Amino acid sequence: MTDPFPDEVDEALWDEACRRAEAIRGFLIRRSGKVSAGDMTLLAAELEVSRATAFRLTKLFRAGGTVMSLVERKPGRPDGRRMLDGKREEIIRTTINRYYLTKNRPGISQLVRDIRTNCVSAGLKPPHRRTIKTRLEDIDLHKRAKRRGEAEIVKRTTAVRGGLTASRPLQIVQVDHTKADIFVVDEETRLPIGRPG
């Protein structure tokens, strides 16, 4: 995983990393020898983190020596990163294309069973159901509906040709229909009639 450039980092995270770098740099200059737990407690108080985090940040700064080494990163794997090996990805892809994206329209449960069977027969550990569902969600809805013969979804996801053109101002006016935040009441009975829209 490559580190982001400073201009790609959120400004608040960058400012915090700069503050931490300055505090750690000053701490390391003042303490040239072995750092004691008491010294690290003082640094942790200055950084407003736990002592263990202060140790970790100091180690990161010593290794990297830059502000970027102290920028907080989101825990977990990066968005969009695939963890399966190529063989299992290929089995998922071919099974989806061969059996799921057809006019027969088998369900997800059948697809999961087919993928598991194909992986076991290839001597591979089968992927989790959620992984398979994620791969299905990655497929374009229009393409999936077209291959499966789902006419209503194809109709809803197909772009309409043409457009509205106006040759002068206010030739085309569109009004949004939103209910007002008031209630209309009857003049005589004072009972609510409804909200105007």
Side-chain angles (χ1 to χ4, degrees):
M1 184 178 96
T2 59
D3 285 338
F5 292 107
D7 59 340
E8 296 174 350
V9 176
D10 180 58
E11 193 172 333
L13 291 176
W14 180 254
D15 291 342
E16 178 62 18
C18 289
R19 184 184 76 80
R20 287 177 172 181
E22 189 176 319
I24 293 170
R25 190 176 291 119
F27 174 78
L28 291 174
I29 290 170
R30 290 188 304 268
R31 311 236 175 1
S32 58
K34 187 170 181 176
V35 179
S36 69
D39 293 337
M40 198 53 75
T41 303
L42 293 173
L43 177 64
E46 184 180 349
L47 294 175
E48 300 171 358
V49 295
S50 69
R51 195 170 68 190
T53 302
F55 268 111
R56 182 178 55 80
L57 291 173
T58 304
K59 183 178 177 184
L60 282 172
F61 188 72
R62 279 182 171 162
T66 64
V67 176
M68 279 306 299
S69 61
L70 298 176
V71 173
E72 284 190 39
R73 308 236 182 354
K74 192 171 85 175
R77 90 173 63 109
D79 292 337
R81 178 132 184 225
R82 303 288 189 206
M83 299 305 290
L84 292 181
D85 56 281
K87 290 179 182 178
R88 289 191 290 175
E89 286 287 355
E90 182 61 29
I91 288 173
I92 292 172
R93 190 173 25 260
T94 56
T95 307
I96 287 173
N97 284 330
R98 190 175 294 149
Y99 300 111
Y100 186 77
L101 296 179
T102 62
K103 303 242 188 256
N104 293 337
R105 290 189 256 176
I108 292 176
S109 297
Q110 181 61 44
L111 175 67
V112 170
R113 284 192 295 273
D114 290 344
I115 290 172
R116 284 185 177 159
T117 303
N118 292 341
C119 284
V120 168
S121 65
L124 301 169
K125 181 181 175 196
H128 194 273
R129 179 185 182 91
R130 283 190 309 257
T131 304
I132 297 168
K133 283 187 79 171
T134 302
R135 299 311 186 267
L136 288 176
E137 290 165 4
D138 289 347
I139 300 171
D140 179 57
L141 180 63
H142 182 78
K143 176 186 171 190
R144 182 171 60 205
K146 200 170 185 179
R147 295 264 315 263
R148 287 173 61 95
E150 297 166 332
E152 186 59 36
I153 295 174
V154 170
K155 184 178 176 185
R156 282 188 283 141
T157 57
T158 302
V160 178
R161 292 183 185 207
L164 298 174
T165 56
S167 59
R168 58 187 169 81
L170 297 176
Q171 185 176 7
I172 299 172
V173 178
Q174 296 182 346
V175 179
D176 187 14
H177 184 279
T178 305
K179 292 205 178 271
D181 287 336
I182 60 171
F183 282 93
V184 178
V185 295
D186 187 88
E187 281 184 48
E188 297 171 10
T189 63
R190 307 305 279 171
L191 294 172
I193 297 173
R195 290 171 60 189

